[in-house]
Amino acid sequence: MKLTGINQITLRVNDLRESEAFYTGILGLGLDHRVGANITYLRIGSDLLVLVKAETPGTREARDIRVDHFGFRLPSNHEVDEAAALMEKSGVHLVTRPSNRREGRAFFVMDPDGNLVEFYSMRDTGIEKSEEGIDTSSPSATLPSVPSEEKPRRSRK
């Protein structure tokens, strides 16, 4: 597997517009695009910061982690498919199978500590405007819900 970089970090935020204002107005990232009312893609160079409206509110005093996932870029759609096969063969828990997204092809795995990790390719032509054949579902929508008193099972392979 030949990783070419980490170019996306996704953050869960309480107030999407307030966070957009911070990252665009103060830090100078550009608005790339929005997906519905709950997801905003911001860009700096070739890197993306994705803001996702949190399902449960967080406080500044809380010690919980608000990073949703991070992504490793691969050179091609073919290598995305090969990486998924390698992960599966290695016993890694695949949260989603490879599918076409607006920006390329992607799949998600869970690391040994339960962190969500994306592997994806990036289209040379950028974000696809048409939704035909594009998977627009959220990877977190496929994660099992766990009652608060139970600890989630995590891949240890």
Side-chain angles (χ1 to χ4, degrees), residues 23-77:
Y23 286 103
T24 61
I26 296 172
L27 298 184
L29 279 72
L31 175 63
D32 191 85
H33 70 285
R34 291 187 179 106
V35 178
N38 296 321
I39 303 174
T40 299
Y41 284 76
L42 303 175
R43 181 173 294 280
I44 183 168
S46 64
D47 300 327
L48 290 172
L49 176 64
V50 184
L51 305 175
V52 177
K53 174 86 170 102
E55 294 174 19
T56 56
T59 65
R60 294 178 196 265
E61 299 80 30
R63 305 283 296 164
D64 65 338
I65 297 170
R66 303 300 283 181
V67 175
D68 182 76
H69 75 277
F70 60 94
F72 288 108
R73 186 170 25 178
L74 293 163
S76 69
N77 289 351

Side-chain angles (χ1 to χ4, degrees), residues 12-142:
R12 292 191 182 277
V13 300
N14 290 330
D15 185 319
L16 196 60
R17 299 305 172 237
E18 179 181 39
S19 293
E20 278 183 24
F22 171 78
Y23 286 103
T24 61
I26 296 172
L27 298 184
L29 279 72
L31 175 63
D32 191 85
H33 70 285
R34 291 187 179 106
V35 178
N38 296 321
I39 303 174
T40 299
Y41 284 76
L42 303 175
R43 181 173 294 280
I44 183 168
S46 64
D47 300 327
L48 290 172
L49 176 64
V50 184
L51 305 175
V52 177
K53 174 86 170 102
E55 294 174 19
T56 56
T59 65
R60 294 178 196 265
E61 299 80 30
R63 305 283 296 164
D64 65 338
I65 297 170
R66 303 300 283 181
V67 175
D68 182 76
H69 75 277
F70 60 94
F72 288 108
R73 186 170 25 178
L74 293 163
S76 69
N77 289 351
H78 178 71
E79 291 202 33
V80 168
D81 292 338
E82 284 182 343
L86 173 67
M87 296 286 177
E88 192 165 40
K89 182 179 175 185
S90 300
V92 174
H93 174 69
L94 270 69
V95 175
T96 65
R97 298 242 171 245
S99 63
N100 293 324
R101 298 279 191 174
R102 285 190 167 101
E103 62 276 0
R105 190 160 174 79
F107 72 96
F108 290 83
V109 302
M110 199 172 283
D111 79 1
D113 290 304
N115 294 302
L116 195 58
V117 182
E118 180 181 19
F119 294 86
Y120 65 96
S121 61
M122 185 68 76
R123 283 190 176 82
D124 291 335
T125 56
I127 303 293
E128 183 70 35
K129 302 298 183 208
S130 166
E131 290 191 17
E132 187 174 322
I134 303 292
D135 179 1
T136 59
S137 64
S138 167
S140 58
T142 63

